[in-house]
Amino acid sequence: FTASVFTMKLGLINSAWVQANQPTVFGLRKTKEIGFDAVDIFVDPLDIDIKERRLIKDECDRLELPITSIACVAVGLIDFNPSVQRFHIERVKAYLDLAYEYQADNVLLVIGEYIWNQEVIPPAEQWKTGVENCKLLGDYAANLGVQIALELEPFKLSLVNSVDTMVRFIDECDHDAVKANIDVSHLLLAKVAPEEVRRFKGKAIHVHISDCDGKVHGDLPPGRGVVPFLPYLREIKELGIEGTMSIELEYSPEPDKIVEWVTEAYRETDKLMQEVGLRG
């Protein structure tokens, strides 16, 4: 009996609206109106005031739009300066606190890249620093009942930039609260074959989906690029992730048509998920 009975929610990362200069409430209301099951919030707890902080949660509660994930880029976690590391550890803890407050499942974490072309500081040192700091943050997350979802970044010097490095990093962290995010367009850009997704069994908790031209990072609505989605989605379905597949859209070419852009992405993603029986 396979995991094929599992379905996922369809979510949206609200950065789509933010980058089109739309107010928070407008974006959340449109997200619900278009038909999304959930939302991921792209916000820095150190950059918002208490009114905005409350507004997001109150509006999501009113709309019955659960918050799945909060996205955090913390490249300083692998900086060679201990003071910079300490700041980023405290900053990620603030994100985890916010995830707890928002009743979210996870903090989506981007941990950064090797510095100086891997020539000055031994890459193994930066790797070790990343693992140690993620273990420490895993303890903090577990205490709050939330998880960390690490994002695979398809760039040459990214610490976690392939299935091999992601699996190794998760295994070395060896922490129930530190797992993987699967980003479908990043897999294509990192030249990961769909069947390699099987190696994420028991290790992945969250999914991002978008399209790209196959050459550079794009975050387009599915159908506007070259990603062959169905083979990847079939493999993701077999992982049995009880979570959310969130659409990641960045920088619409026509910001004044952002509603149409997001609606198109929703329609095309829903179609793909329905085709493989992935949306409940």
Side-chain angles (χ1 to χ4, degrees):
F1 190 70
T2 71
S4 56
V5 292
F6 282 98
T7 56
M8 299 185 78
K9 295 193 191 92
L10 175 52
L12 174 75
I13 306 174
N14 80 322
S15 54
W17 307 111
V18 175
Q19 287 168 353
N21 293 316
Q22 294 299 335
T24 304
V25 168
F26 174 86
L28 293 172
R29 287 178 185 171
K30 284 293 177 191
T31 302
K32 180 70 177 181
E33 203 178 285
I34 289 167
F36 288 94
D37 307 314
V39 68
D40 290 7
I41 301 293
F42 190 87
V43 68
D44 189 329
L46 305 189
D47 274 340
I48 54 169
D49 61 23
I50 190 64
K51 286 183 174 177
E52 179 78 1
R53 188 176 177 120
R54 277 295 303 272
L55 177 72
I56 292 167
K57 177 67 171 135
D58 289 348
E59 191 61 21
C60 286
D61 286 348
R62 193 186 70 74
L63 293 166
E64 296 181 351
L65 186 67
I67 298 168
T68 298
S69 181
I70 300 172
C72 174
V73 177
V75 294
L77 284 175
I78 54 171
D79 193 279
F80 65 95
N81 298 290
S83 59
V84 176
Q85 287 178 47
R86 284 196 301 272
F87 170 77
H88 278 273
I89 286 165
E90 291 308 311
R91 181 167 166 268
V92 177
K93 284 180 178 178
Y95 274 87
L96 291 163
D97 288 346
L98 189 64
Y100 177 83
E101 184 183 327
Y102 283 0
Q103 297 169 293
D105 298 335
N106 66 69
V107 166
L108 184 283
L109 184 62
V110 177
I111 57 171
E113 306 192 350
Y114 291 108
I115 195 172
W116 295 324
N117 219 25
Q118 297 186 329
E119 289 170 21
V120 181
I121 294 169
E125 277 297 305
Q126 271 194 285
W127 177 274
K128 185 165 165 274
T129 300
V131 169
E132 284 171 359
N133 286 336
C134 283
K135 276 180 155 175
L136 193 149
L137 289 165
D139 288 343
Y140 191 86
N143 185 49
L144 294 172
V146 297
Q147 289 179 295
I148 291 165
L150 289 165
E151 185 159 28
L152 184 159
E153 294 289 316
F155 309 116
K156 187 166 173 272
L157 290 175
S158 292
L159 214 69
V160 180
N161 64 359
S162 64
V163 177
D164 281 342
T165 50
M166 178 66 87
V167 167
R168 191 180 137 218
F169 198 92
I170 298 289
D171 286 348
E172 287 189 26
C173 283
D174 191 22
H175 203 301
D176 284 343
V178 182
K179 299 292 184 184
N181 161 266
I182 297 173
D183 187 306
V184 181
S185 75
H186 290 187
L187 293 181
L188 182 81
L189 289 165
K191 298 180 171 50
V192 173
E195 50 274 19
E196 274 200 79
V197 170
R198 292 167 202 177
R199 295 176 61 197
F200 288 129
K201 184 77 176 173
K203 297 181 194 295
I205 55 171
H206 191 47
V207 178
H208 284 175
I209 187 168
S210 61
D211 214 334
C212 67
D213 66 3
K215 300 184 196 75
V216 296
H217 192 268
D219 290 341
L220 304 166
R224 284 186 177 247
V226 300
V227 177
F229 288 100
L230 293 176
Y232 287 108
L233 294 188
R234 288 191 187 102
E235 293 293 346
I236 288 167
K237 183 177 170 60
E238 291 303 314
L239 296 177
I241 300 169
E242 292 187 79
T244 302
M245 181 174 289
S246 297
I247 299 174
E248 183 171 17
L249 297 174
E250 306 291 348
Y251 300 104
S252 162
E254 298 177 275
D256 55 331
K257 292 190 178 169
I258 189 63
V259 175
E260 290 87 339
W261 187 250
V262 174
T263 304
E264 177 190 329
Y266 171 85
R267 184 181 65 242
E268 295 307 314
T269 306
D270 176 57
K271 208 184 289 178
L272 291 164
M273 290 175 80
Q274 301 282 1
E275 192 164 337
V276 297
L278 195 48
R279 188 167 182 210

